[in-house]
Amino acid sequence: MTDTTHTPGADGGDALVTAFNAVGADYIFCSSGSEWAPVWESLARRHRDGLPCPQYLDLTHETVAVGMATGYGLIERRPQGVLLHAAPGLLQGSMAVHGALLAGVPMVVSSSESTTYGDGPGQDPGGQWYRNLSVVGGPHQIAQPFTKWSNEAASVHTLPTMVTRAAELAWRAPAGPAYLNVPLEILLEDWDGREAKPIVKPGSTHSSPEEVDPVAQLIREAKNPVIVTETAGREAGGFEALVAFAEAWHIPVVEPDSAVCGNFPRTHPLHAGSDIGPWMDEADLILLVNCRAPFYPPSRRPSKATVVVIDEVPQRPHIVYQVLFADRYLEGNVANTLRQLAKRAKDLDETAVAERIAAQEARFAAEQKAITQAETEAEGAEGIDPVLVTATLRKLLDGTNGIVVDETITHSRVVKLHVQTAGPDSYFYVQGGLGQGIAVALGVKLAARERPVVLTIGDGAFTYNPVIQSYDASKAYELPLLIVVFNNRVYKSMNLNHRRFYPEGAAADTGEWLGTDLHRLPRLAAFAEPFGMHTETVDAPEALAPALERALKAVTEGTTAVVDVLVTR
């Protein structure tokens, strides 16, 4: 094979770009690979000729590409295009693709392989495919465990419709990434111009009145009901629908530690904190609203409560082991179901309602008092307590409609409790493994440019991130973030587990705690300096608020700011 030229015209690259355009992708998030020249050529022709196409983002790491698509999808809730390089690029980005699966974000991820290895007619794919890049079974086999659907586009003539199918599958509940292997030979093959039909938003599902009415009666008869939710706020309209439902029936809402987004205002009097424990024996009705894993350990069953599961897809196919103890299911669209239930909030037992309102007011007041006390103690503590950081952030963001993306571990409860986010799409916890936080925050910022986006992150998680590549994307595409590092100079979670498993072990005796020390790291904010970003390192309480104020001002003016806060625990 010696043919290395290709006449400009319609080929598989055009077919792929046309398909992404048809499915309504705003962006193609690409970590470059040698197979994507046909796509680049198609985009260049479209730019030259003024033809429509998604905006192309040229990103320098697979985690950044997938993570930004995830963050963007958390806000926009529509499938975007992601291009990775061959099997190695797919493997590099696999953690982030798995994170998108857990986060319920639709996207179409593609990478490539060779099917001829240089022994077929036409263009020479290059010897790297024969020697280094191919895997037995193809990259679509690799992607299968961490995507909703994984397949190969075996013909240029079916490629556009395969992209359509992947996008439609990705968008439907449970939303998540679909993968399509597009061999390089298909990308280079002449295409006859048959375009994919544009896709439309999925139709909504509804629980029937025959299903909803009995549940409404259960709520009406309950003396001590509770709502438990992890991801109601992830659904379009779910946040507002949950507020209306809880208010109509006067039911407290628990967001357990497993909650991964903002579902209910933390400042609302019906917010009942993050501990489901007290309800396990007290509640007579537990309403699990988009709650995939409410009980831990899974065998921990409520002692007397009837359990109603409100979830469009309650049995999540990507969860290995899932226990819900459901007595009833309402499997329509969550926001629709909550609205239907809210309309049925009639003929309530006024005495029972008054009693649970009084009980919830007492719980809420006690939690607010505990929050205030913790913040007062943090203000008077020696050094910078994590509570002081989060309380200062809350005050700084007040009235800004800010968004918090969290990639802390040992400080995640503190962040949720003291930042007190109160609006829809105002809090997200990064899913599927550490090292994606900056990219996810960048994607959120891409979708919400008018809102300040804050990434809270531990020093251990920070070092897992592709920091340089993320900063490059931030500067190249003008996506300023406020990054606040909770730096305790240790992998605290790992150290806590070692101490928990071996409280009187050799490490406790000798002080040799392996796998935890991060004191050797340089100043973490310094990595942003070559990009001309705003940097601060803070080690004194009195310097914290002014540093964060300066940082947010820099973000408002258009540059990412990194504040490395040396916390005491």
Side-chain angles (χ1 to χ4, degrees):
M1 176 183 291
T2 58
D3 181 8
T4 58
T5 62
H6 194 53
T7 302
D11 59 15
D14 287 304
L16 189 60
V17 172
T18 299
F20 278 132
N21 203 53
V23 303
D26 302 315
Y27 292 94
I28 295 175
F29 300 84
C30 182
S31 175
S32 296
S34 55
E35 67 265 52
W36 299 123
V39 170
W40 299 331
E41 181 64 19
S42 175
L43 289 168
R45 284 197 299 269
R46 287 169 177 270
H47 295 158
R48 180 195 65 192
D49 299 338
L51 298 175
C53 58
Q55 185 173 340
Y56 176 84
L57 299 186
D58 197 2
L59 305 165
T60 53
H61 196 281
E62 292 84 355
T63 298
V64 177
V66 182
M68 285 185 65
T70 298
Y72 188 83
L74 285 170
I75 300 292
E76 294 294 337
R77 300 176 174 88
R78 293 182 287 105
Q80 305 299 311
V82 178
L83 303 182
L84 306 178
H85 175 45
L90 176 62
L91 288 167
Q92 182 75 273
S94 60
M95 180 183 70
V97 178
H98 180 244
L101 181 70
L102 297 182
V105 172
M107 63 180 68
V108 178
V109 181
S110 288
S111 69
S112 196
E113 65 176 338
S114 175
T115 56
T116 66
Y117 307 105
D119 276 342
Q123 297 257 54
D124 181 1
Q128 72 272 23
W129 298 95
Y130 177 55
R131 301 185 184 100
N132 189 46
L133 295 179
S134 295
V135 296
V136 175
H140 46 291
Q141 181 172 303
I142 292 174
Q144 188 172 3
F146 50 84
T147 56
K148 277 189 68 178
W149 178 84
S150 180
N151 215 324
E152 176 186 9
S155 167
V156 70
H157 306 297
T158 60
L159 173 57
T161 303
M162 289 287 276
V163 173
T164 298
R165 174 161 169 74
E168 289 185 331
L169 283 165
W171 206 354
R172 278 156 178 79
Y179 173 80
L180 190 61
N181 169 23
V182 186
L184 178 54
E185 287 83 354
I186 301 299
L187 290 168
L188 291 167
E189 189 176 343
D190 290 339
W191 173 49
D192 61 12
R194 282 181 287 180
E195 296 188 359
K197 181 184 181 296
I199 65 171
V200 296
K201 185 178 180 180
S204 61
T205 59
H206 292 258
S207 297
S208 70
E210 291 78 13
E211 295 169 318
V212 175
D213 286 339
V215 173
Q217 187 60 29
L218 286 174
I219 301 172
R220 194 172 290 110
E221 295 171 355
K223 301 297 183 185
N224 197 18
V226 65
I227 298 164
V228 184
T229 183
E230 293 175 336
T231 60
R234 190 172 65 191
E235 311 299 326
F239 188 98
E240 297 86 347
L242 181 60
V243 172
F245 169 58
E247 289 179 342
W249 291 93
H250 308 285
I251 304 175
V253 178
V254 173
E255 289 185 283
D257 291 333
S258 52
V260 298
C261 64
N263 304 290
F264 196 82
R266 288 261 167 182
T267 54
H268 197 289
L270 284 173
H271 198 287
S274 60
D275 186 7
I276 193 176
W279 300 92
M280 296 298 285
D281 293 324
E282 297 174 9
D284 56 358
L285 178 65
I286 296 178
L287 300 153
L288 300 180
V289 181
N290 262 30
C291 201
R292 59 187 174 172
F295 311 118
Y296 190 83
S299 59
R300 185 189 182 199
R301 187 171 195 146
S303 61
K304 62 183 180 182
T306 297
V307 177
V308 175
V309 173
I310 301 172
D311 195 323
E312 190 169 7
V313 187
Q315 298 298 333
R316 305 293 171 89
H318 62 269
I319 296 179
V320 176
Y321 184 59
Q322 187 181 18
V323 180
L324 298 174
F325 296 121
D327 296 296
R328 283 184 180 270
Y329 288 104
L330 289 179
E331 298 187 37
N333 173 271
V334 167
N336 286 337
T337 301
L338 294 177
R339 293 186 195 109
Q340 288 188 58
L341 286 169
K343 291 177 182 178
R344 288 163 168 78
K346 302 171 183 176
D347 303 322
L348 306 186
D349 183 333
E350 294 182 5
T351 301
V353 167
E355 288 177 354
R356 68 173 175 256
I357 288 176
Q360 174 54 26
E361 286 177 348
R363 276 189 296 267
F364 185 74
E367 180 169 270
Q368 295 304 305
K369 181 179 179 180
I371 289 172
T372 300
Q373 182 177 342
E375 292 180 1
T376 300
E377 292 173 358
E379 289 175 1
E382 186 175 339
I384 304 176
D385 190 276
V387 170
L388 181 63
V389 182
T390 49
T392 305
L393 271 176
R394 183 188 69 243
K395 296 168 186 174
L396 188 67
L397 292 175
D398 185 38
T400 66
N401 196 25
I403 303 172
V404 176
V405 178
D406 187 24
E407 197 178 29
T408 61
I409 298 296
T410 53
H411 299 122
S412 61
R413 293 178 183 176
V414 171
V415 170
K416 287 180 183 177
L417 188 61
H418 293 276
V419 171
Q420 295 277 290
T421 54
D425 293 337
S426 59
Y427 171 84
F428 300 102
Y429 190 78
V430 178
Q431 293 289 283
L434 297 177
Q436 309 170 62
I438 306 178
V440 172
L442 287 170
V444 168
K445 183 64 177 179
L446 183 66
R449 287 182 178 269
E450 74 287 355
R451 300 173 66 181
V453 177
V454 179
L455 172 67
T456 52
I457 187 170
D459 52 327
F462 183 89
T463 59
Y464 284 126
N465 275 257
V467 174
I468 301 303
Q469 298 92 331
S470 298
Y471 289 166
D472 171 64
S474 172
K475 187 166 185 178
Y477 297 107
E478 299 180 340
L479 301 170
L481 304 175
L482 172 54
I483 300 174
V484 181
V485 184
F486 287 65
N487 189 345
N488 56 12
R489 283 80 71 200
V490 64
Y491 283 122
K492 191 71 172 180
S493 177
M494 301 174 193
N495 183 253
L496 290 173
N497 275 333
H498 192 157
R499 293 175 183 272
R500 181 164 64 92
F501 295 148
Y502 303 97
E504 299 178 0
D509 184 49
T510 64
E512 183 182 10
W513 301 106
L514 301 176
T516 63
D517 185 20
L518 294 176
H519 280 87
R520 64 184 182 273
L521 293 177
R523 289 192 306 115
L524 298 183
F527 292 98
E529 291 173 359
F531 293 89
M533 295 172 174
H534 183 92
T535 64
E536 304 257 5
T537 300
V538 185
D539 61 2
E542 63 274 12
L544 178 63
L548 289 175
E549 289 170 5
R550 289 190 296 269
L552 186 59
K553 182 175 184 291
V555 171
T556 303
E557 293 171 352
T559 185
T560 284
V562 184
V563 183
D564 184 14
V565 185
L566 306 184
V567 294
T568 55
R569 60 184 175 94

